[in-house]
Amino acid sequence: MTTEGPPIRRLADWDAATLRDLADGHGTPLYVLDQRRVRENVANLRAAFHEESISYAVKANTVRATLETIAETGIGAECASAGELQRAVDAGFDRLRYTAVNPPAGDLDHVVDLAADPPRDLDLVITVGAADAFEALAERGYDGPLAIRVNPGVGAGHHAKVTTGDAPKFGVPYDRVSELASEIVSRGFDLVGLHAHAGSGIHEASDLAAHRELVSRMGELARELDHDLDFLNVGGGLGIPYRPTDEPLDLDSVAAATREAVGELDARLGIEPGRYVVADAGVLLTTVNTVKPTPETTVVGVDAGMTTLLRPAMYDAYHEIRTLAPDADERESVTATVAGPICETADVLGRGRELPGPERGDVLTIGNAGAYGYEMASNYNSRPRPAVVSLDGGESRLAVERETLSELTRLEIEQ
Ligand code: LLP
């Protein structure tokens, strides 16, 4: 069992010499994932949410090396697609939750086949977010355990684009859940749980309050159901401090508030954090290509952009940026806009950043890039996706190779 660690690993805590060596050895842009920190995050979650069952939301980072580390800790995996489920099985997870969001037929075929013919003993539960999805599973002959994803009517999150609890797309409307539950049970299926997810990046007091409201509604609903449940899963969404001035969540008090909000319940409480497990275990290294003074700001052009780390362009997300230049202390600070190589105005990783006199060839490090970083990388502008290195103690290993230019056209068929 890994020991707990500090509540957050700040960008300044990363060893600059190690990161410089990795950038030298593997080139940039390069994601670095520290497996020790991943283990500490899992241990921290376990210490706070001790009797609850914890699943890792695989979507935050599906790099095999990371999945294997998390699987070894013994927590479960929450998967949103057949691909995520397969990766989780391959990495060694035994407790799997497939949360089907508008599932394509091919996904359901794959999941039902996996349930019918698992490679080893698996504890797999399929969570349906619509009556239709239940019917589609029944038609395929699925007869395993089911849970219902509820739309609790209350959401939270760091951005409207990731606030799910009140978005009609997700889950069965709160007041239709009993009806679907009765239908599922009367047709002989094993209804084992209820599920809801408020959204992602719950950190502000108002989001924490909304989350408590969701938990309390879910507790009420579970008590109202005329059916015993094994678990009530109240989703993921635990936020982390992206800005150096942000404070980390107090996990103990979040856990206590969650338990209090759920009320008396004869079912296990479940949570499924993604970001919290991997965000501060990862950094992105990038090299400065151009430094351009302009009347407004100094534009620092780097080799990572929105195709490497989409979060700033997509959600105006803040990621701390520091230089790894060894002589940084001797340089005069400038206010910079750190921009990528993509032909879109949105391709900016940070604005108004104080950087010690950036120079061509400097390596910069971008913090909290372990969650939804590599995972959301794309090939837009025909940019190959970056490489990923896995760090464990003093050892580093290449975990994902850098894509090459010729691989960009790998799937194309000559006409
Ligand atoms: N459970 C469900 C059903 C989810 O939809 C999600 C995230 C999670 C758990 C895990 O949430 P977390 O603990 O990681 O906040 N790309 C966005 C985040 C999208 C999250 C989608 N669902 C970002 O970079 O902020």
Side-chain angles (χ1 to χ4, degrees), residues 152-173:
V154 53
H158 70 79
H159 193 281
K161 287 180 184 168
V162 296
T163 302
T164 42
D166 53 0
K169 169 173 169 173
F170 299 100
V172 176

Side-chain angles (χ1 to χ4, degrees), residues 57 59-60 78 80 99 101 149 158 161-162 164 170 195-197 199-202 235-239 242 272-276 311 315 371-373 376:
K59 61 176 74 68
E78 185 273 331
T99 315
V101 179
R149 178 167 185 171
H158 70 79
K161 287 180 184 168
V162 296
T164 42
F170 299 100
H195 170 282
H197 172 67
S200 193
I202 297 169
L238 295 172
Y242 279 97
E272 49 187 33
R275 186 188 312 272
Y276 201 91
R311 303 193 71 256
Y315 316 112
Y372 307 108
M376 294 174 85

Side-chain angles (χ1 to χ4, degrees), residues 236-291:
L238 295 172
I240 59 129
Y242 279 97
R243 291 175 189 267
T245 47
D246 287 345
E247 288 301 319
L249 283 180
D250 176 354
L251 278 191
D252 287 332
S253 64
V254 174
T258 305
R259 271 181 229 121
E260 194 192 321
V262 81
E264 266 313 301
L265 193 67
D266 197 17
R268 260 175 307 127
L269 201 56
I271 57 162
E272 49 187 33
R275 186 188 312 272
Y276 201 91
V277 179
V278 286
D280 71 347
V283 292
L284 170 62
L285 304 181
T286 185
T287 303
V288 175
N289 294 328
T290 51
V291 179

Side-chain angles (χ1 to χ4, degrees), residues 130-149:
D132 268 6
F134 163 58
E135 292 302 340
L137 284 166
E139 281 161 18
R140 285 169 172 77
Y142 177 75
D143 60 0
L146 287 168
I148 298 177
R149 178 167 185 171

Side-chain angles (χ1 to χ4, degrees), residues 314-337:
M314 179 100 165
Y315 316 112
D316 287 325
Y318 182 98
H319 285 260
E320 194 183 351
I321 304 175
R322 292 172 76 96
T323 182
L324 290 175
D327 61 347
D329 289 350
E330 292 143 39
R331 301 191 192 174
E332 208 172 306
S333 173
V334 299
T335 306
T337 288

Side-chain angles (χ1 to χ4, degrees), residues 18 22 25-26 30-35 39 63-66 68-69 72 387-402:
T18 304
L22 291 174
H26 298 275
L30 181 74
Y31 277 100
V32 179
L33 278 165
D34 185 341
Q35 308 298 338
R39 289 188 201 97
V63 169
R64 174 73 175 242
T66 307
E68 284 177 357
T69 297
E72 276 165 21
V388 182
V389 160
S390 167
L391 263 187
D392 204 345
E395 277 194 33
S396 69
R397 281 197 193 174
L398 188 61
V400 184
E401 282 182 48
R402 182 177 305 288

Side-chain angles (χ1 to χ4, degrees), residues 26-31 87 303 307-308 342 373-389 398-412:
H26 298 275
T28 59
L30 181 74
Y31 277 100
R87 281 177 185 239
D303 62 5
T307 55
T308 333
I342 305 301
Y374 183 74
E375 210 51 40
M376 294 174 85
S378 78
N379 289 132
Y380 181 42
N381 270 205
S382 287
R383 292 269 156 213
R385 282 177 300 168
V388 182
V389 160
L398 188 61
V400 184
E401 282 182 48
R402 182 177 305 288
E403 222 169 8
T404 61
L405 287 184
S406 60
E407 279 161 353
L408 292 176
T409 48
R410 187 173 51 94
L411 300 174
E412 283 187 33

